[in-house]
């Protein structure tokens, strides 16, 4: 009887937490289905009169959501590929080789996560205005107001965290695997691409999921480092 009561209390607790967790999402969807005029007249906490998809149609057509969604993909996908490639390379060196600069190297890559972006926005902004790029990379001819510049700033700020996570995972891989690979004649590059990366698929998948969420939802850098409205990702376009 005690066990049943305990299970019942656990289920009740989980149900309450689920309701509390889902309520903001359900309320946001419910509010989005109300015309703004109805909300302005009766308030947000009221019984809706009409419900429609007009807000979604307006956002899709007037807000040019397909264009800005494509812009988000242009930034997010290359950034994630570069982040995971650079981070796994750094993590491989740090975890598999005993150089004196291993720890300083990891600290250097982690240092990008220690400062909030608002602190260094002025020097980054000035630097982007002085970095020239070929016109096939940037229509403005500068790192400012270009997809390349936005990709690079995301890579710079996210590589350190991913390198830290991957280095700790790679340290758990048995050294006997690498000793066997050396005996079989595998060089460093083959050990990295054919041995380490396949074994790191779980953390790579987890980091890719996190980075998609973070970079896709990123608002600050896109708003500051882009000027043309037709280049804004989804998050920055909502600001207009």
């Amino acid at each position: 009887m005690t066990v049943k009561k305990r299970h019942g209390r656990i289920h009740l607790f989980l149900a309450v937490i689920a309701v509390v967790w889902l309520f903001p999402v359900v309320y946001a969807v419910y509010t989005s289905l109300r015309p703004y005029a109805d909300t302005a007249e009766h308030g947000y906490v009221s019984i809706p009169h009409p419900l429609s998809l007009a807000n979604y149609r307006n956002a899709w057509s007037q807000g040019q959501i397909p264009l800005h969604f494509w812009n988000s993909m242009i930034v997010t996908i290359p950034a994630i590929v570069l982040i995971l490639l650079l981070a796994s390379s750094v993590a491989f060196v740090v975890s598999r080789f005993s150089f004196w600069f291993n720890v300083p190297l990891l600290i250097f890559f982690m240092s990008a996560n220690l400062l909030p972006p608002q602190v260094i926005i002025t020097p980054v902004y000035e630097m982007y205005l002085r970095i020239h790029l070929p016109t096939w990379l940037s229509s403005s001819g500068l790192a400012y107001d270009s997809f390349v510049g936005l990709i690079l700033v995301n890579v710079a700020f996210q590589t350190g965290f991913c390198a830290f996570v991957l280095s700790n995972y790679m340290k758990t891989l048995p050294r006997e695997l690498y000793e066997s690979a050396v005996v079989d004649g595998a060089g460093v590059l083959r050990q990295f691409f054919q041995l380490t990366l396949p074994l790191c698929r779980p953390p790579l998948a987890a980091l890719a999921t996190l980075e998609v969420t973070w970079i896709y939802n990123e608002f600050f850098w896109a708003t500051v480092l882009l000027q043309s409205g037709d280049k804004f990702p989804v998050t920055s376009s909502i600001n207009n």
Side-chain angles (χ1 to χ4, degrees), residues 45-224:
V45 185
S46 61
I47 299 176
H49 294 76
L51 292 176
S52 67
L53 298 174
N55 292 329
Y56 290 92
R57 288 194 293 266
N58 293 336
W60 187 265
S61 59
Q62 299 175 13
Q64 296 181 315
I65 295 299
L67 171 64
H68 298 296
F69 176 77
W70 176 247
N71 292 342
S72 294
M73 294 298 100
I74 292 176
V75 174
T76 302
I77 295 175
I80 291 174
V81 173
L82 287 174
I83 288 169
L84 295 182
L85 178 61
L86 294 175
S88 57
S89 301
V90 173
F92 180 74
V93 172
V94 170
S95 61
R96 290 299 155 193
F97 298 97
S98 300
F99 298 130
W100 64 269
F101 55 82
N102 276 7
V103 175
L105 181 65
L106 187 59
I107 294 175
F108 173 77
F109 276 89
M110 282 292 296
S111 61
N113 299 95
L114 301 179
L115 289 175
Q118 293 83 356
V119 174
I120 60 173
I121 182 57
T122 300
V124 170
Y125 178 79
E126 294 290 339
M127 179 181 66
Y128 268 49
L129 290 176
R130 289 171 170 79
I131 297 177
H132 294 273
L133 296 176
T135 53
W136 60 273
L137 279 178
S138 171
S139 59
S140 64
L142 300 170
Y144 178 72
D145 195 27
S146 69
F147 290 127
V148 174
L150 191 57
I151 291 171
L152 292 179
V153 76
N154 281 294
V155 171
F157 272 85
Q158 299 298 331
T159 300
F161 170 75
C162 294
F164 176 76
V165 173
L166 288 172
S167 65
N168 284 280
Y169 185 87
M170 289 181 185
K171 288 178 182 178
T172 64
L173 300 178
R175 289 193 172 273
E176 291 77 9
L177 291 175
Y178 293 91
E179 293 173 358
S180 300
V182 172
V183 171
D184 291 338
V188 174
L189 291 178
R190 189 173 180 184
Q191 293 177 36
F192 176 66
F193 285 105
Q194 296 186 6
L195 181 60
T196 304
L197 290 185
L199 292 175
C200 290
R201 280 179 291 185
L204 287 173
L207 289 172
T209 304
L210 287 174
E211 292 300 329
V212 167
T213 304
W214 292 342
I215 297 176
Y216 181 86
N217 291 329
E218 199 280 322
F219 175 81
F220 179 76
W221 287 117
T223 304
V224 174

Side-chain angles (χ1 to χ4, degrees), residues 33-44:
L33 295 174
R34 300 181 64 179
Y36 178 73
D38 182 66
T39 303
E41 180 180 355
H42 301 284
Y44 287 95

